Each structure stands twice: as C-alpha cells, then as structure tokens.
Amino acid sequence: GESNCAAKMPQHEHIELHRKRHGVRMDQMERERKREAREPHRISKVARRSHGLKAKLWNARRYKEKAIMRKTLNVHEEKTNKHRNADVDDDSVALPAYLLDREGVSRAKVLSNTIKQKRKEKAGKWDVPIPKVRAVADDEMFKVMRSGKRKNKAWKRQVTKVCFVGQNFTRKAPKYERFIRPKALRFKKAHVTHPELQATFHLEILGVKKNPSSPLYTQLGVITKGTVVEVNVSELGLVTTTGKVVWGKYAQVTNNPELDGCINAVLLV
C-alpha cells in the first residue's frame, strides 16, 4: 500500500518528505547563495550566445524585467530621500543659532505624492477645466470611403477631425488601412496655456492620453474638444519636488481644433 501511495505522490513532495526525514546538506545555504551569484553570469551567457528570433524575445523579456527593477529602485530611493520642508524658509523666519544647522525634513512626502498622482492617472480622473463635453458620434467623426473597382466596398473610414500620429508613423498599405487620417488634419504642436503663469507656449504633442468620446478615438489619436493630450514641457523648465526635470505633462484641449485650425489647451497642474 505504501509503495502504491509513493508512486502517486507528486515529485516535489518526495523532496519535501526526504528533507523532513533526513534534513538538508550542511552547505545547502552556501550552495543556494552561489547559485544566485552565478545567475547574472548565466543570463549574460544566454544573451551572448542566442541570436535571431530567440535573442529578440529574450531581450524583450529582459527589458521588461529591468524596467520593473528600475521602478522598484526609484521607489526605494524616494522613500529615503531627505528634502527640506517647503514651509521652512530662512528668509522669512528668523531662526535661533542652535536651530540654524537643522533642516525641516520630510522623508516620505515625495513618495506619497507620486503614489497619489499614479492613482489619479490610473483612475483617469483629473481636475479638468472642461469636466463635461459633447459626445462625438461615429458618423460625424468618420466619413465612409468607398473602395474597389466598382466602389461597392464600404469598409474604409476617413477621419474628419484633427488627429495626432507619432514621429515615425508610416501608413499601412491601402489594402489594410481601415482608418485614414489625412495629412492636412495631422497636428504636431499645440498652444498650451499655463494657468498659474498666465502665459501660453507653443509645445510639441507627445501623445493622446484620453479622448472622452471613445477609446477608439484615443487609440487613433483623434483630438476633439475636452481631449487630454500629453505635451513636452521641457522648455518651461518645470521641476519635481526632488529636483528632477519634468518632460511630459497633460493638458486638456479647450477649443474645436477642426474648426479653428489650431489646438488650444490648458495645462493640468
């Protein structure tokens, strides 16, 4: 009966049973430590020796892993990051001598702010200048393009609103292009107003974050009134609380670009 039971037992349970009966090797911990230390060497060996599609897939996987690791490290760095409180200002408050060398430090303020910001972005909720916008119907957004020798095929659509396509955008072959975005309606820059500075800047668009009318319009990069776009604010010289330069920031479009021939937006601060 016992041998029959052992035959049915999964492999890892045999190992557990053996360890329970006889314990582990004396150098078990050391062997595990060494195996872990050898792991980067093994990974680099695989990366060096693989080629073709296998190498491509391997590198894509490693890239994702490294990105996750970098994010984790950044979070830990921000945890221990000491920075001065904004409310402690040397010029306005006269400090006694024994307090001069002490700085008002708040450690996790940055971290909590970044987490809040990320949560907001995930939820897709911002305090936007235009909270409610008119929904744009598909027949207003797209014009049916008839194709084929007798013009009896009607599966193509031409976008009638302003849109944004990336830097290295290449059109698909006519046979596969369902949505056509005319060159005359593609925009690269927007007039972005900073609400606190009361100044307007001509900034490059980095991408369309959310078009409230439909996820399809977001995917196609269609820009209508109320759309949230990401703009390149590097020339404004904005910095985070840790002193890092901000590259991209979101802005909401406040006009009808297809009627005005330009995109006007307000920066979401």
Side-chain angles (χ1 to χ4, degrees):
E2 197 179 318
S3 62
N4 190 26
C5 172
K8 286 179 183 174
M9 197 161 39
Q11 187 61 45
H12 70 283
E13 286 182 18
H14 281 289
I15 298 166
E16 280 176 13
L17 192 65
H18 185 274
R19 281 190 180 166
K20 204 178 272 183
R21 284 177 183 160
H22 310 290
V24 291
R25 292 172 57 129
M26 301 290 257
D27 59 349
Q28 169 79 3
M29 297 290 282
E30 185 63 12
R31 280 161 66 90
E32 274 178 12
R33 187 191 64 75
K34 283 186 177 175
R35 189 183 290 122
E36 211 172 287
R38 280 199 302 271
E39 191 61 20
H41 295 282
R42 189 191 66 79
I43 289 169
S44 101
K45 194 176 181 181
V46 173
R48 280 202 310 274
R49 291 189 178 181
S50 57
H51 54 86
L53 185 62
K54 197 175 239 183
K56 214 172 190 178
L57 294 170
W58 174 264
N59 288 334
R61 203 180 85 197
R62 287 291 295 148
Y63 180 80
K64 279 178 190 166
E65 283 171 11
K66 281 181 181 174
I68 291 164
M69 193 160 49
R70 213 175 296 124
K71 275 183 186 170
T72 317
L73 287 174
N74 284 348
V75 165
H76 284 299
E77 270 175 28
E78 281 180 339
K79 255 184 204 166
T80 55
N81 178 23
K82 285 188 174 187
H83 59 283
R84 295 197 59 196
N85 271 344
D87 51 2
V88 177
D89 192 5
D90 288 14
D91 302 332
S92 59
V93 183
L95 289 174
Y98 61 89
L99 281 181
L100 281 175
D101 61 335
R102 191 186 295 180
E103 285 186 348
V105 171
S106 64
R107 281 171 182 278
K109 197 182 247 183
V110 182
L111 189 66
S112 63
N113 283 349
T114 48
I115 288 169
K116 276 178 195 165
Q117 192 69 27
K118 275 177 188 163
R119 275 189 197 149
K120 257 190 187 177
E121 281 172 20
K122 264 191 187 166
K125 288 174 186 169
W126 293 280
D127 302 325
V128 286
I130 307 169
K132 283 186 181 178
V133 284
R134 182 182 66 87
V136 183
D138 275 13
D139 49 358
E140 185 190 337
M141 179 70 74
F142 303 120
K143 176 185 160 192
V144 178
M145 289 274 288
R146 294 193 162 273
S147 56
K149 193 173 181 182
R150 303 269 167 265
K151 298 279 179 253
N152 59 353
K153 291 184 173 67
W155 56 272
K156 286 193 174 195
R157 298 284 179 272
Q158 185 179 11
V159 178
T160 59
K161 306 283 181 193
V162 162
C163 53
F164 169 79
V165 296
Q167 193 103 42
N168 307 322
F169 171 73
T170 312
R171 284 178 64 171
K172 283 187 183 135
K175 190 178 175 182
Y176 302 111
E177 191 177 33
R178 176 158 156 71
F179 296 104
I180 297 162
R181 290 170 283 192
K183 257 193 171 173
L185 288 173
R186 291 185 207 163
F187 277 66
K188 289 181 182 174
K189 290 197 164 191
H191 302 129
V192 182
T193 305
H194 195 296
E196 287 165 14
L197 297 176
Q198 294 294 318
T200 304
F201 305 92
H202 197 213
L203 305 176
E204 269 182 35
I205 300 170
L206 296 176
V208 175
K209 175 71 178 169
K210 191 170 169 54
N211 188 319
S213 299
S214 154
L216 172 67
Y217 303 162
T218 307
Q219 199 181 338
L220 288 170
V222 176
I223 299 170
T224 52
K225 189 173 183 174
T227 303
V228 175
V229 292
E230 193 174 3
V231 288
N232 184 358
V233 291
S234 56
E235 61 186 63
L236 304 193
L238 301 175
V239 286
T240 61
T241 42
T242 49
K244 291 175 188 167
V245 177
V246 180
W247 292 102
K249 239 179 160 11
Y250 296 125
Q252 191 185 31
V253 177
T254 53
N255 70 329
N256 293 311
E258 71 277 6
L259 302 178
D260 299 348
C262 67
I263 299 172
N264 296 339
V266 173
L267 209 63
L268 306 178
V269 182

